[in-house]
DNA sequence: CTGGATCCAATTTGATACTG
DNA sequence: CAGTATCAAATTGGATCCAG
């Protein structure tokens, strides 16, 4: 568990992880995960997302959608009907991402209680 | 792949994931991941983190450190020496988190190029 | 229905200076 | 060394109106 057991320095190790943070930031936006989770079940329409993703505003939905589309995580299909119909679906790499996300989601579910307790304990100690 | 194959609606499915987003948001902060990765290799000091975690400011380092400590992800050890020495180390659940994070990190590494290409393509199409 | 554009409020962050 | 305090700047988010 000590950093002295390997030939790679902590700096190199983190350096390696940094561009990832950049990529991850796109996914880590407040709404991106919700949208990916919602779209993971099948093509989904704009209004459907607006109702599904908790408290998102139309503006944020549009922005996040564009960001995910730009990064190649969402595929956008426009049906030239009237009124217009647009469906969003996950690309292959987004589907992969969704699987990786599951691991994180599991962790969050497993420790949600522990984390809440830690917070109460921390806040309680501060109030003493 | 269709949502019609299960008995759970998309709404229920997302509903289920939402409290997680709340938990995840703490981890998803711009700096939290970098700090967790840095601390995963062993106890690390404040100044060490300041140098290690790319472009973090002292203020953000302090705030993120406190947040992670409050959530029970970091353990803070103060050595009452002069000058003072403080070491941060991962708690058990944070070590678990770090493993889950690895899956995400792997994804980001695998598709970094693809994502960059998708962005260029998207931006290029817009400029046409 | 699907969004783009704009204005404004709230939040976040960085720079800097100071302290035990 | 390890922070805290403060102020200004930047970012983000919501509300609203308009349009194909």
């Amino acid at each position: 568990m000590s950093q002295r057991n390997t030939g790679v320095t902590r700096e190199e190790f983190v350096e390696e992880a940094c561009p990832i943070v950049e990529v991850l930031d796109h996914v880590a936006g407040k709404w991106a995960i919700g949208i990916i989770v919602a779209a993971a079940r099948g093509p989904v329409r704009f209004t459907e997302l607006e109702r599904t993703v908790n408290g998102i505003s139309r503006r944020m939905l549009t922005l996040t959608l564009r960001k995910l589309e730009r990064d190649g995580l969402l595929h956008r299909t426009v049906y030239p009907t009237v009124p217009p119909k647009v469906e969003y679906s996950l690309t292959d790499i987004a589907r992969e991402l969704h699987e990786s996300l599951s691991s994180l989601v599991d962790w969050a579910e497993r420790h949600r209680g522990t984390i809440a307790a830690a917070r109460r304990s921390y806040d309680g100690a501060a109030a003493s």
Side-chain angles (χ1 to χ4, degrees), chain A:
Chain A
M1 284 303 173
S2 166
Q3 68 276 30
R4 273 172 289 282
N5 291 338
T6 77
V8 57
T9 67
R10 195 197 308 279
E11 282 72 15
E12 288 166 344
F13 192 73
V14 173
E15 184 83 12
E16 194 181 315
C18 272
I20 292 159
V21 175
E22 179 205 1
V23 173
L24 249 43
D25 271 354
H26 287 257
V27 164
K30 188 172 184 181
W31 308 108
I33 294 178
I35 291 176
I36 289 175
V37 168
R41 317 207 82 217
V44 60
R45 300 182 60 176
F46 187 89
T47 310
E48 208 174 347
L49 282 171
E50 200 174 1
R51 279 176 290 123
T52 302
V53 180
N54 179 290
I56 197 169
S57 67
R58 190 168 302 173
R59 174 189 157 84
M60 281 301 100
L61 179 56
T62 301
L63 289 181
T64 308
L65 247 23
R66 291 293 162 274
K67 192 172 69 174
L68 292 176
E69 190 193 352
R70 184 171 103 104
D71 285 352
L73 296 182
L74 280 185
H75 184 65
R76 180 166 176 268
T77 310
V78 181
Y79 298 92
T81 58
V82 38
K85 172 178 173 181
V86 179
E87 277 188 346
Y88 294 91
S89 53
L90 296 193
T91 61
D92 287 345
I93 71 172
R95 243 182 290 277
E96 256 188 65
L97 170 64
H98 181 245
E99 288 176 27
S100 295
L101 239 38
S102 298
S103 168
L104 222 53
V105 167
D106 285 347
W107 176 88
E109 280 180 337
R110 277 202 307 278
H111 301 294
R112 183 161 41 180
T114 306
I115 291 173
R119 270 181 218 171
R120 280 192 301 274
S121 167
Y122 185 95
D123 294 346
S128 67

